[in-house]
Amino acid sequence: MLLAIDCGNTNTVFSIWDGEKFLCTLRTSTHHARTADAYFTWFTTLVAHYGITPDIQHVIISSTVPRVVFNLRVFADRFFGCRPVVVGKPDCALPQAPRVDEGTIVGPDRLVNAAGAYDRHGGDLVVVDFGTATTFDVVAEDGAYVGGVIAPGVNLSLEALHMAAAALPHVDVTTPQKVIGTNTVDCIQSGVYWGYVGLVEGICARIRAEYDRPMRVIGTGGLAPLFAQGTQLFDTIEEDLTMHGLTVIHAYNQKM
């Protein structure tokens, strides 16, 4: 079995892949000081809840937080007896190398999204990932990551608004009943929701115009289904795209 780990700035996700399907997906907050032992205690407790006795033989890690990688490496080595594949490291091969400016370091999550999206949908894609940042990844015809856009994430923008304007409350993201709010909470929710719908539609339109060929738009990330309700932009929503991309990259490295 393969344990796929996606460590983002806010949450870290663990999924167990049996070669055909994900048996379970577990989520915890990202914390750089969490030890390998703490990961194992948390992991085994939740896996037991699902009634699974996993035989983990391989581990692959994608992390946008470099400080957590060491303890995740120790976790894989100490408890599963394997050296993990870490996306973005020299010993991790990619199905297609990114084509970006020389010296540019591409976030592992973006490389994984490109690999997963290409495997499922082919090339000429825009992958919109609603995470801590809202990212737009352009996947070429051959599956290579060729660039994109990074915008502030939805929850990050809400938190910044709340912190910078003392009179404004913190609100949750939701689909507004109407655009014109008649109270402060409704006004903020409308501004954030429809503002981000407009942002995503506008950036994708500009990417398509610059790319100058037909492109499909794939949405992923926890808030993707919510924002898909407000636009016809997305061709599909892939909630497990990053995890699927990790299985694709791991399988490619097994063949090398």
Side-chain angles (χ1 to χ4, degrees):
M1 291 183 181
L2 169 68
L3 176 60
I5 303 175
D6 172 38
C7 178
N9 291 290
T10 304
N11 292 316
T12 300
V13 181
F14 293 64
S15 288
I16 300 173
W17 175 254
D18 69 357
E20 296 182 353
K21 63 183 181 299
F22 289 111
L23 299 181
C24 68
T25 295
L26 315 173
R27 186 180 300 267
T28 185
S29 59
T30 298
H31 184 27
H32 72 271
R34 183 172 285 123
T35 64
D37 292 349
Y39 278 120
F40 185 70
T41 301
W42 167 84
F43 178 78
T44 52
T45 300
L46 284 184
V47 166
H49 172 75
Y50 282 90
I52 299 171
T53 306
D55 179 20
I56 304 297
Q57 299 173 321
H58 305 280
V59 177
I60 184 168
I61 301 168
S62 168
S63 177
T64 58
V65 187
R67 295 175 68 186
V68 307
V69 173
F70 174 77
N71 283 329
L72 288 173
R73 282 183 180 272
V74 174
F75 167 69
D77 178 65
R78 179 179 298 168
F79 297 107
F80 304 119
C82 67
R83 177 184 175 87
V85 175
V86 180
V87 179
K89 298 298 183 182
D91 58 348
C92 176
L94 298 172
Q96 288 290 346
R99 293 195 291 273
V100 294
D101 293 344
E102 185 176 353
T104 299
I105 298 175
V106 181
D109 55 331
R110 308 184 81 179
L111 299 173
V112 171
N113 282 347
Y118 180 73
D119 183 69
R120 284 181 170 171
H121 304 286
D124 296 331
L125 306 173
V126 182
V127 180
V128 184
D129 189 347
F130 292 88
T132 303
T134 301
T135 58
F136 301 74
D137 303 324
V138 179
V139 183
E141 183 180 16
D142 63 353
Y145 169 87
V146 293
V149 176
I150 301 175
V154 180
N155 286 314
L156 188 64
S157 296
L158 276 171
E159 189 64 29
L161 182 64
H162 172 63
M163 292 179 65
L168 297 180
H170 181 79
V171 303
D172 295 326
V173 185
T174 187
T175 306
Q177 296 297 313
K178 53 185 180 178
V179 176
I180 302 173
T182 53
N183 58 67
T184 302
V185 171
D186 286 352
C187 289
I188 296 173
Q189 289 178 332
S190 182
V192 170
Y193 186 84
W194 295 116
Y196 267 86
V197 168
L199 179 146
V200 171
E201 289 179 337
I203 289 178
C204 286
R206 290 179 179 272
I207 289 174
R208 281 170 160 166
E210 189 170 289
Y211 196 73
D212 197 27
R213 62 189 300 170
M215 304 181 77
R216 284 169 292 171
V217 180
I218 313 300
T220 191
L223 292 175
L226 178 68
F227 282 93
Q229 296 174 20
T231 178
Q232 299 298 313
L233 173 70
F234 297 104
D235 291 280
T236 187
I237 299 296
E238 299 276 1
E239 296 186 58
D240 66 341
L241 182 65
T242 302
M243 285 302 169
H244 177 67
L246 285 170
T247 69
V248 170
I249 292 175
H250 180 265
Y252 184 77
N253 279 265
Q254 290 293 104
K255 295 177 183 177
M256 296 296 289

